[in-house]
Amino acid sequence: MKIATWNVNSIRARADRVEAWLNKSDVDVLAIQETKAKDDNFPWEVFEFSGYEVAHFGLSQWNGVAIASRVGLEDVQRTFPEQPTFGKGNQEAVQEARAIAATCNGVRVWSLYVPNGRGLEDPHMPYKLTWLETLNRHAGEWLQEDPEAKIVLAGDWNVAPRDEDVWDMQFFLDNQMTHVSEPERAAFNAFLETGFVDVLRENNPGPGVYTYWDYTQLRFPKKEGMKIDFQLCSPALAAQVTGAVIDREERKGKGASDHAPVVIDIAL
DNA sequence: ATGCCGGCAGTATGCCGA
């Protein structure tokens, strides 16, 4: 069984590429982030024609997450319990479309789009940290309830957990950039302390192993990227994982997303 | 051994991304 996660940076702009990738990648489940669509302009036919069921959660042109599966799609859940809200200025705070779950062939799959943070002193940063802390608390409860649960927390984590996960740590420090700060890394590492396993790092260690490359500054051809997309697996699921790869071919060419798909193999 | 920012809303340009 293959499970993929991919921040597509607009499902409408990327519909042809997503369809082509589904048809060649042979994945059973695809967790998608940043669909940038509402249900009424989501390209359902892309998945139907390819033989996948799909569940989508999108509230506006921002965020948006989905799960496509050809091995069942049960108990779809939008948002996690107590998922923190965000509202800018006078706008009403809402639970954004950043988390959706479904059970696919016995695996509880979460497609997660962690808040960006925007800046070290931006109000979006405490939102990001609280969002991760709350998710981790509940994920820990899920493991307590069933230590044998097969759960994957897949998505765009917007955290580079180690210095080797960015092409030049000094550049990030000099520019006071997000994704590499201690609080962000602590919020990510807390999931590992809870018991989840970073199967991408285990199977695909760095340095120089990235999942995201900025569109600007020739970042991709210069191999200047970031490792920020992960699939964190519960212990029972991690024990069955036999591999994890980043499909950097998909980052090439005109019309690519700025993220590459991350695919894990499970002996199921 | 890849190519010099992209998508969306709404119709000019600001927001958002990381």
Side-chain angles (χ1 to χ4, degrees), chain A residues 100-112:
Chain A
I100 189 172
T103 301
C104 308
N105 194 23
V107 179
R108 190 64 176 162
V109 179
W110 280 92
S111 179
L112 304 168

Side-chain angles (χ1 to χ4, degrees), chain A residues 42 58 74 78 184 188 196 230 239 266:
Chain A
F42 185 87
E74 299 167 351
R78 290 168 175 82
E184 289 168 277
F188 178 90
F196 285 85
F230 299 96
I266 303 164

Side-chain angles (χ1 to χ4, degrees), chain A residues 220-264:
Chain A
F220 184 61
K222 289 159 94 172
K223 304 186 188 307
E224 296 176 342
M226 304 168 69
K227 191 190 233 182
I228 55 175
D229 301 87
F230 299 96
Q231 299 205 42
L232 302 191
C233 295
S234 64
L237 183 62
Q240 293 184 300
V241 171
T242 58
V245 296
I246 301 163
D247 187 359
R248 66 182 299 284
E249 288 296 309
E250 185 53 42
R251 180 61 180 80
K252 296 178 181 177
K254 192 172 177 64
S257 169
D258 42 5
H259 295 254
V262 175
V263 186
I264 66 170

Side-chain angles (χ1 to χ4, degrees), chain A residues 5-206:
Chain A
T5 186
W6 189 11
N7 179 322
V8 298
N9 185 21
S10 169
I11 190 65
R12 286 173 283 171
R14 221 72 61 206
D16 290 346
R17 280 188 87 122
V18 170
E19 185 168 6
W21 192 79
L22 273 179
N23 290 327
K24 77 175 183 189
S25 64
D26 197 40
V27 297
D28 297 293
V29 180
L30 174 59
I32 302 169
Q33 299 86 40
E34 276 210 271
T35 62
K36 293 186 172 179
K38 301 180 187 178
D39 278 353
D40 59 13
N41 53 18
F42 185 87
W44 305 97
E45 67 282 359
V46 163
F47 300 91
E48 290 164 8
F49 292 166
S50 302
Y52 291 79
E53 295 178 88
V54 62
H56 176 241
F57 179 30
L59 299 172
S60 68
Q61 72 271 40
W62 307 120
N63 315 307
V65 284
I67 298 174
S69 172
R70 63 179 188 190
V71 292
L73 191 71
E74 299 167 351
D75 300 321
V76 174
Q77 179 180 353
R78 290 168 175 82
T79 73
F80 58 81
E82 301 182 275
Q83 183 179 310
T85 61
F86 187 76
K88 195 174 183 180
N90 296 327
Q91 293 174 357
E92 185 184 356
V94 297
Q95 283 184 313
E96 298 180 309
R98 295 179 177 275
I100 189 172
T103 301
C104 308
N105 194 23
V107 179
R108 190 64 176 162
V109 179
W110 280 92
S111 179
L112 304 168
Y113 180 43
V114 175
N116 173 287
R118 295 182 185 167
L120 296 178
E121 304 301 326
D122 193 286
H124 213 253
M125 183 57 72
Y127 169 53
K128 176 180 193 173
L129 298 175
T130 304
W131 201 95
L132 284 167
E133 288 163 8
T134 306
L135 175 60
N136 181 45
R137 187 171 77 249
H138 285 281
E141 291 171 2
W142 302 334
L143 286 186
Q144 279 200 326
E145 291 164 7
D146 180 7
E148 296 304 311
K150 294 175 184 175
I151 304 169
V152 58
L153 306 175
D156 176 358
W157 289 77
N158 272 325
V159 178
R162 298 186 186 177
D163 289 358
E164 68 179 25
D165 297 333
V166 296
W167 80 93
D168 182 355
M169 190 58 197
Q170 198 57 49
F171 177 88
F172 281 72
L173 293 174
D174 291 345
N175 292 282
Q176 299 179 40
M177 293 175 76
T178 58
H179 293 57
V180 297
S181 72
E182 284 310 311
E184 289 168 277
R185 288 177 168 177
F188 178 90
N189 287 328
F191 285 84
L192 308 183
E193 291 157 17
T194 297
F196 285 85
V197 180
D198 179 357
V199 297
L200 174 60
R201 192 176 302 281
E202 285 197 344
N203 288 276
N204 218 329

